[in-house]
């Protein structure tokens, strides 16, 4: 039996594994789904954007589930259908929504809707697939947080609080589930050029002000998530537990 060192790039092989990916229709989730498929994983792609899922399916042969991740009835349907044909080895929760609003302007409805997607849905998708993975003897879960869960970002306190919650949830689940072979980790992206930040382009100078914080001198792009996700979900990352992999061009370091 070859060691992982002897396998080299083969340590990232996901052949025979099934990955459930939320937010797979666009941006970071889409790139991470494509990368896992390229390493051999079968992808169950979840999103409310049917057209985005269809284009992903055309590219990588993923199975599409169109719905709202905040709807736990939809979650139950996805769990039933994806686990009926075998084991789900990987859960990547990338679906998330922004709330770029000062605390003084934020309504209870906006707060609840954002928390419902960014925190509550992640908790309950982790719960359902964690239950499945514990019964199956193991698995890997990655939740997408944000650098905003680590440092405060201007003008979006509720969003930053939601991402801090994702980080602590991931660490707490990692602590509880690693005895069952389920590894939970988080990725914290920095500013990344996806539809998620489209509205920032409308405010003159906003992108430039952000770039001034990034030592790498550019925004992130979806391809920057490829190495991090493959490390965290493959055998190459088998001893990485409860970590937050920050992928931000150095913003939070300097
Ligand atoms: N782009 C950035 O600058 C950035 C930075 C830090 C963290 N993030 C996080 O990365 C994750 C992915 O963001 P992205 O940049 O790929 O954004 P994106 O807008 O390109 O993709 C997000 C996807 O999630 C889906 N989605 C959102 N809410 C949903 C819901 N309730 N049900 C089903 N699908 C839903 C959207 O339809 C979309 O396809 C998010 O959690 C976001 O908070 C993004």
């Amino acid at each position: 039996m070859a060691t992982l060192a002897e396998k080299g790039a083969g340590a990232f092989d996901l052949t025979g594994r099934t990955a459930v990916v939320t937010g797979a229709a666009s941006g970071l989730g889409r790139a991470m789904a494509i990368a896992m498929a390229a390493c051999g994983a079968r992808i169950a792609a979840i999103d409310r954007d049917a057209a985005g899922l269809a284009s992903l399916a055309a590219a990588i042969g993923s199975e599409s589930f169109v719905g709202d991740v905040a709807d736990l009835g939809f979650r139950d349907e996805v769990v039933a259908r994806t686990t009926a044909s075998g084991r789900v080895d990987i859960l990547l929760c990338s679906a998330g929504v922004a709330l770029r609003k000062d605390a003084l302007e934020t309504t209870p409805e906006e707060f609840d809707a954002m928390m419902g997607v960014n925190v509550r849905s992640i908790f309950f998708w982790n719960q359902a697939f964690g239950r499945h993975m514990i019964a199956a003897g193991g698995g890997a879960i990655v939740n997408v947080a944000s650098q905003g869960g680590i440092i405060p970002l201007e003008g979006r306190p509720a969003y930053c609080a939601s991402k801090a919650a994702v980080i602590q949830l991931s660490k707490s689940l990692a602590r509880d589930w690693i005895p069952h072979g389920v590894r939970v980790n988080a990725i914290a992206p920095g500013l990344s050029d996806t539809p998620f930040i489209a509205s920032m382009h409308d405010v003159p100078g906003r992108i430039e002000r952000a770039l001034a914080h990034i030592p790498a001198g550019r925004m992130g792009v979806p391809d920057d998530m490829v190495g991090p996700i493959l490390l965290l979900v493959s055998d190459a990352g088998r001893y990485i537990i409860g970590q937050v992999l920050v992928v931000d061009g150095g913003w939070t370091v300097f």
Side-chain angles (χ1 to χ4, degrees):
M1 183 84 158
T3 63
L4 288 182
E6 288 161 349
K7 285 185 180 174
F12 296 90
D13 185 27
L14 299 175
T15 302
R17 299 190 198 173
T18 296
V20 170
V21 182
T22 77
S26 176
L28 309 183
R30 181 183 176 95
M32 291 189 276
I34 292 171
M36 289 191 283
C39 287
R42 197 165 63 89
I43 306 294
I46 321 299
D47 209 291
R48 59 186 173 192
D49 172 4
L53 286 185
S55 96
L56 182 70
I60 64 167
S62 45
E63 192 178 359
S64 303
F65 296 88
V66 182
D68 182 345
V69 293
D71 173 356
L72 296 187
F74 171 60
R75 177 206 64 168
D76 290 343
E77 192 188 312
V78 173
V79 172
R81 286 178 53 196
T82 52
T83 58
S85 51
R87 178 169 168 172
V88 170
D89 307 280
I90 296 162
L91 171 68
L92 166 60
C93 289
S94 189
V97 288
L99 182 54
R100 287 191 187 85
K101 268 204 163 178
D102 190 272
L104 301 181
E105 312 293 328
T106 300
T107 67
E109 293 73 22
E110 289 169 334
F111 183 93
D112 289 348
M114 186 273 301
M115 285 289 179
V117 178
N118 289 7
V119 181
R120 185 176 182 272
S121 86
I122 290 200
F123 181 90
F124 285 107
W125 282 72
N126 277 226
Q127 179 196 65
F129 283 100
R131 198 189 310 282
H132 166 78
M133 289 174 185
I134 288 168
I141 297 177
V142 175
N143 296 315
V144 179
S146 165
Q147 65 175 13
I150 299 166
I151 55 161
L153 299 174
E154 178 191 347
R156 61 193 87 165
Y159 175 77
C160 289
S162 78
K163 293 302 189 176
V166 172
I167 288 172
Q168 191 60 7
L169 173 62
S170 302
K171 290 182 180 181
S172 300
L173 293 178
R175 173 69 188 84
D176 288 348
W177 290 352
I178 192 56
H180 305 283
V182 179
R183 294 190 300 111
V184 185
N185 288 287
I187 292 179
L191 181 69
S192 306
D193 198 9
T194 73
F196 198 80
I197 61 133
S199 67
M200 286 179 71
H201 291 283
D202 300 337
V203 184
R206 187 81 200 260
I207 297 285
E208 289 69 24
R209 276 212 310 281
L211 282 174
H213 291 281
I214 306 177
R218 66 165 176 86
M219 274 193 276
V221 293
D223 261 359
D224 294 326
M225 298 298 140
V226 170
I229 191 62
L230 293 180
L231 174 64
L232 292 180
V233 301
S234 68
D235 293 347
R238 66 186 183 186
Y239 202 51
I240 303 176
I241 317 291
Q243 293 299 314
V244 184
L245 186 40
V246 183
V247 189
D248 68 349
W251 181 324
T252 53
V253 177
F254 304 103

